Amino acid sequence: MKNKTDRFKYIVVCVGIAFVMLSYYVYQIFFTPNFGNKEGDKAFTLYIKKGAAFQQVLDTLDKYKAYDDKTSFAFIAKMLSYQENVKAGRYIIQPGSTNLQVVKKLRSGAQDPIKITFNSIRLKSEFAERIGSKFAFGKDTLAALINSEAVCKKYGFDTCTILAMFIPNTYEFYWTLSGDAFLERMQQEYTTFWTQQRKELAAKAGLTPVQVSILASIVEAETNMSTEKPTVAGVYINRLNLGMPLQADPTVKFALGDFAIKRINHDLIEQAGNSPYNTYKVSGLPPGPINMPSITTLDKVLNYESHDYLFFVADPARPGYHIFNVDYRSHVNKANQYRKSLNKRNIH
């Protein structure tokens, strides 16, 4: 009788120990950090493409050594039915994350948005490369969209003016957003930017919103000085009103596709020929913006300075600033002084 009792006690103890050990193991694989445990580890960004299988998720995590224990992660993923429910997206996994935290995040599709800032972009090809490559749809898809006459027309633009739709700012998107959805969002942002007040200011200047963007792109390229932008805009508006050529150097650089040019001369103007962007030979605004002007510059153009200036040239005594003139003779004198300063510095 005693032996049976002892044996029973022994079994109970063994079962208890096994239960404790199992409980501890379960606790470990569920709640113990399994990601980014090494000293100096940073947050890991996991990209999962549409249609990816669980094995592809594992392969990516293996490749970047994102976790310590693959088996426990796969076990929890199976327990929580994630292996059969992989969702595409961009997920940031913080150091010290547990299997449970990561699996729950991936299973729910709780993506982390990406922040994208548009600035200092001149060409559509540059825009497609820099911005399209940040999304799952890729640069080629974005390039095809903004070069499609039908797509551009859908949003009220053409293939020359489409860049005006993208108002430079910082935006949040999901990595899995489609190319079409990206354009839809950008049109919404464009519509929001162009308030009734801004439209009225544009009309007062004799410009459409797109024309404001085109003119602002020239002003953006002409000066970095915020205080000068309304004055420069006023010069170009005076010229437009008089039917004078804009004669804007940045448009010649754009026509030639060479933005490293320091000095526009007669030969370069001739080389640009009758390009619609050569504002020395073609009157009026060019057919599209030559860059993506900032919101600040757009507003400076809308609130341009009303004056009688028709000419301006860089001020050799104040780098970055310009000298404005009403009459051509005074302008030529100042321009000659500026050319001499360039010659002294051997700038061609």
Side-chain angles (χ1 to χ4, degrees), residues 248-264:
D249 289 359
T251 64
V252 178
K253 295 180 184 180
F254 187 88
L256 295 172
D258 186 349
F259 304 104
I261 296 171
K262 299 293 184 183
R263 190 173 175 178
I264 297 298

Side-chain angles (χ1 to χ4, degrees), residues 134-145:
K134 295 182 183 296
F135 291 91
F137 58 72
K139 62 181 181 179
D140 292 339
T141 294
L142 182 55
L145 288 170

Side-chain angles (χ1 to χ4, degrees), residues 245 247 266 269-275 278-283:
Q247 295 186 328
H266 176 75
I269 292 170
E270 289 302 312
Q271 187 178 333
N274 292 321
S275 164
N278 185 356
T279 57
Y280 275 86
K281 293 202 169 191
V282 179
S283 296

